[in-house]
Amino acid sequence: MSAHDSEEVRRHMDRLAADGIDVVRVTYPDLIGTDRARDVLLEELPRACEHGLAFCRAVYHTSPQGDVVPVSGGLDAGLPDICVRPDLDTLVPLPWEPGVAACLGEVVDPATGAPAPESPRDLLRSVLARCAEHGLRPVVGPELEYFLCEPDPSGGWRRYAPDPGVVYTAGLRADPDNHLLRTLRHVRDLKVGALSGNHEFDGGQIEINLVHSDAVSAADRSFRFKAAIKELARKEGRLATFMAKPFNDAGGSGFHLHLSCDDEEGRNTFDDPSGAYGLSATARHAVAGVLAHAPALAALLNPTVNSYKRFGPDTLAPWLIDWGLDNRSAMVRIPPERGTGARLELRLGDASANPYLAIAATTAAALLGVLAGEEPPAPLEGYGYDTASSAVLPQTLPAALDALEADTALTDLLGKGFTTSFLSYKRDEVERFHRHVTDWEFTEYAYHL
């Protein structure tokens, strides 16, 4: 650490101490977007910044059930370390945790000093560097939905405030305990760019929108937002889940991405009043790229076995590979704004997606479309879901993983190291699912067979 760096750390420490903060929580995303973290006492922050915090690299390969998946570089390498250094530029006090501030961590391989191959934040940076080579700076606006659950007296979890017909409402009718108001104020103070929130389509489902920004900031804020929502729900004795479709009798939760690209002077390259549909050639090529790589994108934007239970006709979740002008039944929607607001909205992703991987994959597909220079087909008109007009998206996680592996143009851009690790991790998830006896199977077969 240089003298200048030491002085900078000391300034941060003095400011935190003056605010009554004595602990810094250093967090980073694992492969599936779960937050991993360590609490560092304020007086030990210089040591953490200079030497880093050691974590086992296999944290990237650990399943939600605690299994260490045999991904290359983990078990086979003797469970080596990664090194995580606090990114002090991202420090912010936790509004609900007195005396604690949080920051993101920069992850490197201590043996090489290079980013860890599975690091989602660094994967996104590598894709953005390729975009910058072509004069494009992606701008992303995230929209995330989640279900809030409360303990069921008979066991397990049930939806909070499950009354139907409360889409696009706010207040006590849909939220009798004011969860949304408390949460909205906390995430505002967390400085993740929260704009507004409302009750979504199904009982117990909530959406909070985040401001648009450069792609890394959008991913950082989405990651911190999801972690905060889950933490705040726990403080209420509840469970917030970004699972794609947690209930049979309800719809799913989406992770919609609004994407445009600025040029090096900050002008929106997607707008062109004289272009077809008021869109520039760059925008139309980006749409064509997203459509062309949609089967592979599904693996990263719909990354769980459960994700594919959200799809289907008449769900307002994508089912076909299509696009439309201000059409919410299309996979890619072009909102009506033009000028600085010209953009595409990718409605493919569900809320379980890792924000860094979702944004990296989407921008990579858009870039490939721009480089290919092809036009999209005619936009969808009317209500979609006609399989005669457009190809169907992968309907299972294994099919999506196969599509990702086969899409060499996209995987070359994402990196072979990352792709191999992701495919190994997710195929292990599929295998474990197929071996597991579900409640549905017992109910369906045990009595009659």
Side-chain angles (χ1 to χ4, degrees), residues 10-88:
R10 179 55 59 184
R11 286 196 297 272
H12 281 291
M13 292 175 65
D14 289 345
R15 176 174 59 84
L16 293 172
D19 291 339
I21 289 170
D22 63 349
V23 171
V24 173
R25 181 166 298 163
V26 183
T27 69
Y28 63 98
D30 68 6
L31 201 57
I32 60 174
T34 297
D35 53 309
R36 306 291 178 173
R38 184 167 298 163
D39 286 342
V40 178
L41 292 169
L42 185 60
E43 59 268 27
E44 297 300 322
L45 188 60
R47 187 192 305 272
C49 291
E50 182 174 4
H51 300 291
L53 305 170
F55 289 82
C56 179
R57 180 177 165 185
V59 70
Y60 286 121
H61 317 147
T62 302
S63 79
Q65 297 304 309
D67 305 298
V68 179
V69 179
V71 174
S72 178
L75 286 170
D76 64 333
L79 300 171
D81 273 351
I82 54 172
C83 180
V84 180
R85 287 188 172 88
D87 179 355
L88 299 184

Side-chain angles (χ1 to χ4, degrees), residues 228-269:
I229 293 297
K230 290 181 280 189
E231 190 82 354
L232 289 167
R234 289 187 178 98
K235 286 186 72 70
E236 297 178 358
R238 297 185 171 111
L239 172 72
T241 180
F242 291 88
M243 183 177 172
K245 185 176 170 62
F247 300 102
N248 282 315
D249 62 344
S253 291
F255 183 9
H256 299 166
L257 294 175
H258 292 252
L259 173 68
S260 62
C261 285
D262 286 349
D263 63 17
E264 293 172 342
E265 283 73 44
R267 296 184 294 259
N268 187 335
T269 66

Side-chain angles (χ1 to χ4, degrees), residues 282-326:
T282 298
R284 299 194 306 273
H285 299 335
V287 170
V290 171
L291 296 177
H293 298 281
L297 290 180
L300 295 158
L301 279 83
N302 309 106
T304 71
V305 170
N306 175 259
S307 295
Y308 297 83
K309 297 177 181 179
R310 169 179 166 263
F311 286 168
D314 300 321
T315 61
L316 287 183
W319 190 44
L320 304 180
I321 301 172
D322 55 10
W323 75 292
L325 303 173
D326 198 14

Side-chain angles (χ1 to χ4, degrees), residues 437-449:
V437 179
T438 65
D439 291 344
W440 183 92
E441 292 169 281
F442 190 89
T443 302
E444 184 78 3
Y445 305 129
Y447 181 76
H448 295 285
L449 300 182

Side-chain angles (χ1 to χ4, degrees), residues 44-45 53 64 106 116 147 166 177 223 228 257 267 279 281 291 297 335 352 375 389:
E44 297 300 322
L45 188 60
L53 305 170
E106 297 282 11
F147 276 95
V166 288
D177 191 39
F223 165 66
L257 294 175
R267 296 184 294 259
L279 300 173
L291 296 177
L297 290 180
S352 68
E375 292 285 334
S389 63

